[in-house]
Amino acid sequence: MPVSRSLIGCCVILAASHAIAAQDAAPPAQGQAPAQTQAAVVDVNFITKPYLQLGHIQHKGKLVLVWHALDADTKWQVEYKPGVGRRWQQAEPPLFQPVTVSGVKPHRVYGQALPGLEPGQIFTYRISKDGRVVFESEARAPKGADQPHRFVAFGDCGAGTPEERAIAYRAYLSKPDFVMIPGDIVYGKGLISEYRTKYWPIFNAEEASPATGGPLLRSTLFVAAAGNHDIASRDLGVDPDGLAYFYYWHQPLNGPSSEVGGPITAPLRGPDANQHAFTAAAGRAFPRMANFSFDYGNAHWTVLDANATVDWTTRELTDWVANDLAAAKDATWRFVSFHQPGFNSSKTHFDEQYMRILSPVLEAGKVDVVWNGHVHNYQRSYPLKFLPAQDNGGKPVKGKDGRVPKGRRVGGKLTLDKTFDGQSDCTPQGVIYVVTGAGGQHLYNPEQQDDPASWQEFTYKHVSKVHSLTVADVDGPTLTVRQITADGEEVDRFVIKK
Ligand SMILES: [Fe+2]
């Protein structure tokens, strides 16, 4: 079984890395001793232990290993075996970006590209500090286009709750090839301090258990869209360590460029020194990493910034999405992920429908499924097509500031494919919109689960009484999606066939 080894001070902790087999493992037996909590572990080598990212420039068979350490001259060296039976090879010296924002001890975000990984294989890496190995783990290289793959999706997770830990553990048991978080990665403002207490210790826990989470980040690629809580503080005078998404995540910088303060990117606020410290830490990732796309296996993903600070009537933005999807015409699957759903039956956030205006672009781009969060439960729509009302020369009505107001309802013509059931009819006519926002924060509107009369006509399934995550298997022309509770119960399932 793959293992990871973290050498913490003089103590060696062995942790089961995520196993690679495609079947779920059994949870621990009743009565098992409580697992060690992360709070008891002090690591003298890392501020944040290694985690896997796509990198700012995506290359086939490449991942980027990221970790955080003190802002001090240290000789770090990464070695890795790119596949089974391969020899250790030394990576180039890692690059780093200092983070010197007010109120937080200066530290460095190291990024080490791991090129040449053999698709879909388990690989081993180890990190040395000043000549001594301090961390070692196994991980899964990205799958090739001809290999089946599994991803797990859940949003609204980093709340520091028992439910977040249980979902993290279930994700670990599910053995995904990668994890997609459709926003609200960490609560409540996307701060460094919040990542350190509610995200890294749970998704990179040494111990795998429902009470702790699991050692996922070190072995499994994570990808994320930025939710409203991830960008909640743009006043860097109030929160100097806000917007940490832009320096802790290493995701492709292939989205549209934009000016800060323009229709795509809201202005920063706060003292110039604080703004400068933030932009120095984020580098080119701010603001560009707000929108990006990547390929995984035979699927193309487009990840978007749906926050209310963005005007989605901006032609530059919608053209970029249209062109990105058109360029992915050879991919078998086209998935889109953003935080705020346009199609949501919950009473909470019901008015926030503004992403509906993107529907025609997604339909023209032959998108199969949209994965959203923001609403803290699970919902699946019928396959649908939506034409926004032409009440303003073809554009939604804007507010006085020229932007589509947050919360504006978007009327229009809805066409539902009610013959699709994902079992006997697996060929949807339209886009399926999935809300998978039950990743750890408190649930929304549990009373609606058993009250279908309260659902909108586009909703097929509504599970709001229990936390859950999406487990999706992509096998050539077949997509199987299951919604699983923290206890492993399947609460929804559908299949799409090409
Ligand atoms: Fe949200």
Side-chain angles (χ1 to χ4, degrees):
M1 182 174 178
V3 296
S4 61
R5 190 172 59 164
S6 177
L7 308 179
I8 298 170
C10 59
C11 303
V12 178
I13 291 180
L14 287 171
S17 181
H18 87 286
I20 303 300
Q23 300 301 313
D24 286 355
Q30 291 282 330
Q32 184 171 317
Q36 182 181 11
T37 62
Q38 231 12 49
V41 177
V42 176
D43 193 312
V44 299
N45 299 304
F46 300 100
I47 292 174
T48 300
K49 289 178 191 161
Y51 56 102
L52 290 165
Q53 297 280 278
L54 282 168
H56 290 326
I57 300 173
Q58 196 195 8
H59 288 304
K60 203 172 173 184
K62 186 205 80 175
L63 290 174
V64 170
L65 190 61
V66 183
W67 68 94
H68 310 167
L70 286 175
D71 187 19
D73 287 336
T74 306
K75 187 170 183 289
W76 293 96
Q77 177 68 59
V78 174
E79 298 170 288
Y80 63 111
K81 295 179 182 176
V84 175
R86 300 279 298 274
R87 293 181 176 179
W88 288 108
Q89 67 181 56
Q90 282 197 345
E92 296 290 318
L95 302 174
F96 67 88
Q97 193 74 23
V99 177
T100 55
V101 298
S102 178
V104 178
K105 193 169 185 177
H107 58 288
R108 297 179 179 183
V109 177
Y110 285 89
Q112 175 69 67
L114 303 176
L117 300 173
E118 294 181 8
Q121 284 205 11
I122 299 167
F123 69 94
T124 307
Y125 66 87
R126 62 190 183 196
I127 301 177
S128 300
K129 178 187 174 190
D130 294 329
R132 187 172 66 90
V133 174
V134 292
F135 194 88
E136 182 171 347
S137 183
E138 292 184 338
R140 170 75 86 183
K143 290 284 182 66
D146 58 346
Q147 295 173 311
H149 69 271
R150 169 178 291 183
F151 67 88
V152 156
F154 52 84
D156 311 83
C157 50
T161 58
E163 291 82 3
E164 177 195 1
R165 296 170 196 272
I167 288 292
Y169 179 60
R170 179 55 54 185
Y172 170 81
L173 293 181
S174 300
K175 305 165 187 70
D177 290 300
F178 72 96
V179 174
M180 167 60 70
I181 300 179
D184 283 2
I185 306 158
V186 65
Y187 289 87
K189 293 178 164 184
L191 310 179
I192 291 175
S193 56
E194 293 165 342
Y195 271 93
R196 290 182 177 177
T197 53
K198 303 177 195 170
Y199 184 74
W200 314 117
I202 294 169
F203 291 105
N204 218 356
E206 292 295 330
E207 193 77 35
S209 82
T212 56
L216 263 171
L217 289 163
R218 68 191 63 184
S219 59
T220 308
L221 169 67
F222 273 54
V223 186
N228 54 304
H229 284 276
D230 302 310
I231 61 152
S233 184
R234 287 182 176 272
D235 188 338
L236 299 167
V238 175
D239 296 300
D241 60 334
L243 300 170
Y245 169 81
F246 288 98
Y247 44 77
Y248 281 169
W249 289 78
H250 288 216
Q251 307 193 115
L253 303 183
N254 58 0
S257 60
S258 65
E259 281 185 24
V260 177
I264 297 178
T265 307
L268 295 172
R269 295 193 296 273
D272 288 348
N274 291 26
Q275 292 192 33
H276 179 74
F278 164 71
T279 54
R284 293 184 304 129
F286 180 78
R288 194 147 193 180
M289 204 174 68
N291 300 280
F292 62 93
S293 67
F294 67 99
D295 297 307
Y296 195 100
N298 62 352
H300 179 77
W301 284 81
T302 309
V303 181
L304 303 175
D305 182 355
N307 285 301
T309 47
V310 182
D311 180 355
W312 271 97
T313 66
T314 306
R315 187 66 185 268
E316 174 196 358
L317 197 48
T318 54
D319 281 355
W320 180 82
V321 176
N323 292 335
D324 181 74
L325 293 170
K329 64 183 186 329
D330 293 335
T332 306
W333 300 95
R334 275 165 293 282
F335 300 132
V336 172
S337 186
F338 51 84
H339 186 57
Q340 291 88 341
F343 300 96
N344 156 43
S345 265
S346 286
K347 291 168 184 167
T348 308
H349 295 321
F350 177 70
D351 286 336
E352 295 183 35
Q353 302 174 359
Y354 48 93
M355 287 307 282
R356 290 186 183 191
I357 62 177
L358 198 59
S359 292
V361 175
L362 304 184
E363 292 157 23
K366 296 184 168 47
V367 170
D368 298 292
V369 183
V370 174
W371 313 91
N372 296 134
H374 196 45
V375 180
H376 303 168
N377 53 42
Y378 170 76
Q379 299 175 46
R380 172 175 40 121
S381 79
Y382 288 98
L384 67 83
K385 296 175 183 172
F386 183 78
L387 187 61
Q390 305 288 299
D391 58 357
N392 183 31
K395 288 190 171 187
V397 178
K398 296 182 181 180
K400 288 180 180 174
D401 62 355
R403 300 189 176 193
V404 178
K406 177 183 180 181
R408 179 183 182 275
R409 297 191 184 194
V410 179
K413 185 180 178 216
L414 187 66
T415 305
L416 302 177
D417 173 10
K418 289 205 167 185
T419 64
F420 175 89
D421 60 8
Q423 296 174 37
S424 57
D425 180 343
C426 297
T427 53
Q429 305 300 308
V431 180
I432 295 176
Y433 291 82
V434 171
V435 175
T436 182
Q441 189 53 289
H442 64 90
L443 295 169
Y444 286 167
N445 302 108
E447 76 283 359
Q448 285 188 259
Q449 177 168 319
D450 299 325
D451 182 19
S454 72
W455 305 354
Q456 299 300 305
E457 59 179 327
F458 51 73
T459 295
Y460 179 88
K461 189 85 178 179
H462 191 292
V463 180
S464 52
K465 286 182 173 177
V466 64
H467 288 83
S468 63
L469 75 170
T470 305
V471 180
D473 288 297
V474 184
D475 188 354
T478 303
L479 170 70
T480 303
V481 179
R482 296 178 294 143
Q483 194 68 17
I484 307 289
T485 69
D487 292 334
E489 180 190 356
E490 183 178 299
V491 291
D492 190 26
R493 182 191 192 95
F494 65 96
V495 175
I496 303 176
K497 292 184 177 175
K498 294 283 183 176

mmCIF file with all atom_site columns, all heavy atoms in Angstrom, residues 156 184 187 228-229 339 349 374 376, ligand 1:
data_model
loop_
_atom_site.group_PDB
_atom_site.id
_atom_site.type_symbol
_atom_site.label_atom_id
_atom_site.label_alt_id
_atom_site.label_comp_id
_atom_site.label_asym_id
_atom_site.label_entity_id
_atom_site.label_seq_id
_atom_site.pdbx_PDB_ins_code
_atom_site.Cartn_x
_atom_site.Cartn_y
_atom_site.Cartn_z
_atom_site.occupancy
_atom_site.B_iso_or_equiv
_atom_site.pdbx_formal_charge
_atom_site.auth_seq_id
_atom_site.auth_comp_id
_atom_site.auth_asym_id
_atom_site.auth_atom_id
_atom_site.pdbx_PDB_model_num
ATOM   1  N  N   . ASP A 1 156 ? -17.467 24.389 -0.338 1.00 0.00 ? 156 ASP A N   1
ATOM   2  C  CA  . ASP A 1 156 ? -17.946 24.935 0.930  1.00 0.00 ? 156 ASP A CA  1
ATOM   3  C  C   . ASP A 1 156 ? -17.489 24.071 2.095  1.00 0.00 ? 156 ASP A C   1
ATOM   4  O  O   . ASP A 1 156 ? -18.285 23.670 2.940  1.00 0.00 ? 156 ASP A O   1
ATOM   5  C  CB  . ASP A 1 156 ? -19.481 25.060 0.887  1.00 0.00 ? 156 ASP A CB  1
ATOM   6  C  CG  . ASP A 1 156 ? -19.930 25.755 -0.395 1.00 0.00 ? 156 ASP A CG  1
ATOM   7  O  OD1 . ASP A 1 156 ? -20.050 25.079 -1.431 1.00 0.00 ? 156 ASP A OD1 1
ATOM   8  O  OD2 . ASP A 1 156 ? -20.116 26.969 -0.354 1.00 0.00 ? 156 ASP A OD2 1
ATOM   9  N  N   . ASP A 1 184 ? -15.393 28.341 -1.993 1.00 0.00 ? 184 ASP A N   1
ATOM   10 C  CA  . ASP A 1 184 ? -15.467 28.406 -0.533 1.00 0.00 ? 184 ASP A CA  1
ATOM   11 C  C   . ASP A 1 184 ? -14.598 27.294 0.047  1.00 0.00 ? 184 ASP A C   1
ATOM   12 O  O   . ASP A 1 184 ? -15.051 26.388 0.751  1.00 0.00 ? 184 ASP A O   1
ATOM   13 C  CB  . ASP A 1 184 ? -16.913 28.363 -0.025 1.00 0.00 ? 184 ASP A CB  1
ATOM   14 C  CG  . ASP A 1 184 ? -17.596 29.725 -0.213 1.00 0.00 ? 184 ASP A CG  1
ATOM   15 O  OD1 . ASP A 1 184 ? -16.951 30.645 -0.754 1.00 0.00 ? 184 ASP A OD1 1
ATOM   16 O  OD2 . ASP A 1 184 ? -18.765 29.857 0.163  1.00 0.00 ? 184 ASP A OD2 1
ATOM   17 N  N   . TYR A 1 187 ? -13.213 29.130 5.257  1.00 0.00 ? 187 TYR A N   1
ATOM   18 C  CA  . TYR A 1 187 ? -14.049 30.183 5.862  1.00 0.00 ? 187 TYR A CA  1
ATOM   19 C  C   . TYR A 1 187 ? -13.267 30.926 6.912  1.00 0.00 ? 187 TYR A C   1
ATOM   20 O  O   . TYR A 1 187 ? -12.338 30.375 7.514  1.00 0.00 ? 187 TYR A O   1
ATOM   21 C  CB  . TYR A 1 187 ? -15.290 29.525 6.519  1.00 0.00 ? 187 TYR A CB  1
ATOM   22 C  CG  . TYR A 1 187 ? -16.255 29.011 5.501  1.00 0.00 ? 187 TYR A CG  1
ATOM   23 C  CD1 . TYR A 1 187 ? -16.107 27.728 4.977  1.00 0.00 ? 187 TYR A CD1 1
ATOM   24 C  CD2 . TYR A 1 187 ? -17.299 29.798 5.037  1.00 0.00 ? 187 TYR A CD2 1
ATOM   25 C  CE1 . TYR A 1 187 ? -16.989 27.255 4.021  1.00 0.00 ? 187 TYR A CE1 1
ATOM   26 C  CE2 . TYR A 1 187 ? -18.190 29.328 4.090  1.00 0.00 ? 187 TYR A CE2 1
ATOM   27 C  CZ  . TYR A 1 187 ? -18.026 28.058 3.584  1.00 0.00 ? 187 TYR A CZ  1
ATOM   28 O  OH  . TYR A 1 187 ? -18.896 27.592 2.634  1.00 0.00 ? 187 TYR A OH  1
ATOM   29 N  N   . ASN A 1 228 ? -16.995 33.036 -2.883 1.00 0.00 ? 228 ASN A N   1
ATOM   30 C  CA  . ASN A 1 228 ? -17.110 34.359 -2.282 1.00 0.00 ? 228 ASN A CA  1
ATOM   31 C  C   . ASN A 1 228 ? -16.328 34.475 -0.982 1.00 0.00 ? 228 ASN A C   1
ATOM   32 O  O   . ASN A 1 228 ? -15.741 35.516 -0.681 1.00 0.00 ? 228 ASN A O   1
ATOM   33 C  CB  . ASN A 1 228 ? -18.584 34.726 -2.054 1.00 0.00 ? 228 ASN A CB  1
ATOM   34 C  CG  . ASN A 1 228 ? -19.337 33.692 -1.257 1.00 0.00 ? 228 ASN A CG  1
ATOM   35 O  OD1 . ASN A 1 228 ? -19.367 32.517 -1.645 1.00 0.00 ? 228 ASN A OD1 1
ATOM   36 N  ND2 . ASN A 1 228 ? -19.959 34.087 -0.157 1.00 0.00 ? 228 ASN A ND2 1
ATOM   37 N  N   . HIS A 1 229 ? -16.268 33.385 -0.210 1.00 0.00 ? 229 HIS A N   1
ATOM   38 C  CA  . HIS A 1 229 ? -15.505 33.470 1.035  1.00 0.00 ? 229 HIS A CA  1
ATOM   39 C  C   . HIS A 1 229 ? -13.995 33.475 0.781  1.00 0.00 ? 229 HIS A C   1
ATOM   40 O  O   . HIS A 1 229 ? -13.238 33.964 1.610  1.00 0.00 ? 229 HIS A O   1
ATOM   41 C  CB  . HIS A 1 229 ? -15.883 32.313 1.969  1.00 0.00 ? 229 HIS A CB  1
ATOM   42 C  CG  . HIS A 1 229 ? -17.212 32.518 2.622  1.00 0.00 ? 229 HIS A CG  1
ATOM   43 N  ND1 . HIS A 1 229 ? -17.384 33.261 3.761  1.00 0.00 ? 229 HIS A ND1 1
ATOM   44 C  CD2 . HIS A 1 229 ? -18.454 32.108 2.255  1.00 0.00 ? 229 HIS A CD2 1
ATOM   45 C  CE1 . HIS A 1 229 ? -18.659 33.301 4.096  1.00 0.00 ? 229 HIS A CE1 1
ATOM   46 N  NE2 . HIS A 1 229 ? -19.331 32.601 3.190  1.00 0.00 ? 229 HIS A NE2 1
ATOM   47 N  N   . HIS A 1 339 ? -18.463 28.818 -8.583 1.00 0.00 ? 339 HIS A N   1
ATOM   48 C  CA  . HIS A 1 339 ? -19.023 28.707 -7.240 1.00 0.00 ? 339 HIS A CA  1
ATOM   49 C  C   . HIS A 1 339 ? -20.548 28.903 -7.190 1.00 0.00 ? 339 HIS A C   1
ATOM   50 O  O   . HIS A 1 339 ? -21.278 27.996 -6.792 1.00 0.00 ? 339 HIS A O   1
ATOM   51 C  CB  . HIS A 1 339 ? -18.321 29.710 -6.317 1.00 0.00 ? 339 HIS A CB  1
ATOM   52 C  CG  . HIS A 1 339 ? -18.715 29.602 -4.885 1.00 0.00 ? 339 HIS A CG  1
ATOM   53 N  ND1 . HIS A 1 339 ? -18.582 28.429 -4.171 1.00 0.00 ? 339 HIS A ND1 1
ATOM   54 C  CD2 . HIS A 1 339 ? -19.246 30.507 -4.020 1.00 0.00 ? 339 HIS A CD2 1
ATOM   55 C  CE1 . HIS A 1 339 ? -19.012 28.617 -2.934 1.00 0.00 ? 339 HIS A CE1 1
ATOM   56 N  NE2 . HIS A 1 339 ? -19.414 29.864 -2.821 1.00 0.00 ? 339 HIS A NE2 1
ATOM   57 N  N   . HIS A 1 349 ? -29.908 31.685 -1.085 1.00 0.00 ? 349 HIS A N   1
ATOM   58 C  CA  . HIS A 1 349 ? -29.191 32.101 -2.309 1.00 0.00 ? 349 HIS A CA  1
ATOM   59 C  C   . HIS A 1 349 ? -30.031 31.928 -3.578 1.00 0.00 ? 349 HIS A C   1
ATOM   60 O  O   . HIS A 1 349 ? -29.478 31.951 -4.681 1.00 0.00 ? 349 HIS A O   1
ATOM   61 C  CB  . HIS A 1 349 ? -27.874 31.313 -2.485 1.00 0.00 ? 349 HIS A CB  1
ATOM   62 C  CG  . HIS A 1 349 ? -26.858 31.578 -1.421 1.00 0.00 ? 349 HIS A CG  1
ATOM   63 N  ND1 . HIS A 1 349 ? -26.627 32.821 -0.884 1.00 0.00 ? 349 HIS A ND1 1
ATOM   64 C  CD2 . HIS A 1 349 ? -25.980 30.740 -0.800 1.00 0.00 ? 349 HIS A CD2 1
ATOM   65 C  CE1 . HIS A 1 349 ? -25.673 32.736 0.035  1.00 0.00 ? 349 HIS A CE1 1
ATOM   66 N  NE2 . HIS A 1 349 ? -25.265 31.497 0.107  1.00 0.00 ? 349 HIS A NE2 1
ATOM   67 N  N   . HIS A 1 374 ? -21.527 26.848 -3.205 1.00 0.00 ? 374 HIS A N   1
ATOM   68 C  CA  . HIS A 1 374 ? -22.190 28.022 -2.636 1.00 0.00 ? 374 HIS A CA  1
ATOM   69 C  C   . HIS A 1 374 ? -23.446 27.668 -1.840 1.00 0.00 ? 374 HIS A C   1
ATOM   70 O  O   . HIS A 1 374 ? -23.638 28.186 -0.745 1.00 0.00 ? 374 HIS A O   1
ATOM   71 C  CB  . HIS A 1 374 ? -22.534 29.013 -3.756 1.00 0.00 ? 374 HIS A CB  1
ATOM   72 C  CG  . HIS A 1 374 ? -22.873 30.390 -3.264 1.00 0.00 ? 374 HIS A CG  1
ATOM   73 N  ND1 . HIS A 1 374 ? -22.146 31.054 -2.304 1.00 0.00 ? 374 HIS A ND1 1
ATOM   74 C  CD2 . HIS A 1 374 ? -23.875 31.262 -3.624 1.00 0.00 ? 374 HIS A CD2 1
ATOM   75 C  CE1 . HIS A 1 374 ? -22.664 32.263 -2.095 1.00 0.00 ? 374 HIS A CE1 1
ATOM   76 N  NE2 . HIS A 1 374 ? -23.714 32.402 -2.875 1.00 0.00 ? 374 HIS A NE2 1
ATOM   77 N  N   . HIS A 1 376 ? -25.271 25.066 0.343  1.00 0.00 ? 376 HIS A N   1
ATOM   78 C  CA  . HIS A 1 376 ? -24.697 23.993 1.154  1.00 0.00 ? 376 HIS A CA  1
ATOM   79 C  C   . HIS A 1 376 ? -25.593 22.760 1.185  1.00 0.00 ? 376 HIS A C   1
ATOM   80 O  O   . HIS A 1 376 ? -26.155 22.388 2.218  1.00 0.00 ? 376 HIS A O   1
ATOM   81 C  CB  . HIS A 1 376 ? -24.431 24.484 2.581  1.00 0.00 ? 376 HIS A CB  1
ATOM   82 C  CG  . HIS A 1 376 ? -23.539 25.678 2.645  1.00 0.00 ? 376 HIS A CG  1
ATOM   83 N  ND1 . HIS A 1 376 ? -23.358 26.428 3.784  1.00 0.00 ? 376 HIS A ND1 1
ATOM   84 C  CD2 . HIS A 1 376 ? -22.766 26.256 1.698  1.00 0.00 ? 376 HIS A CD2 1
ATOM   85 C  CE1 . HIS A 1 376 ? -22.524 27.415 3.533  1.00 0.00 ? 376 HIS A CE1 1
ATOM   86 N  NE2 . HIS A 1 376 ? -22.155 27.340 2.272  1.00 0.00 ? 376 HIS A NE2 1
HETATM 87 FE FE  . FE  B 2 .   ? -20.348 30.612 -1.092 1.00 0.00 ? 1   FE  B FE  1
#
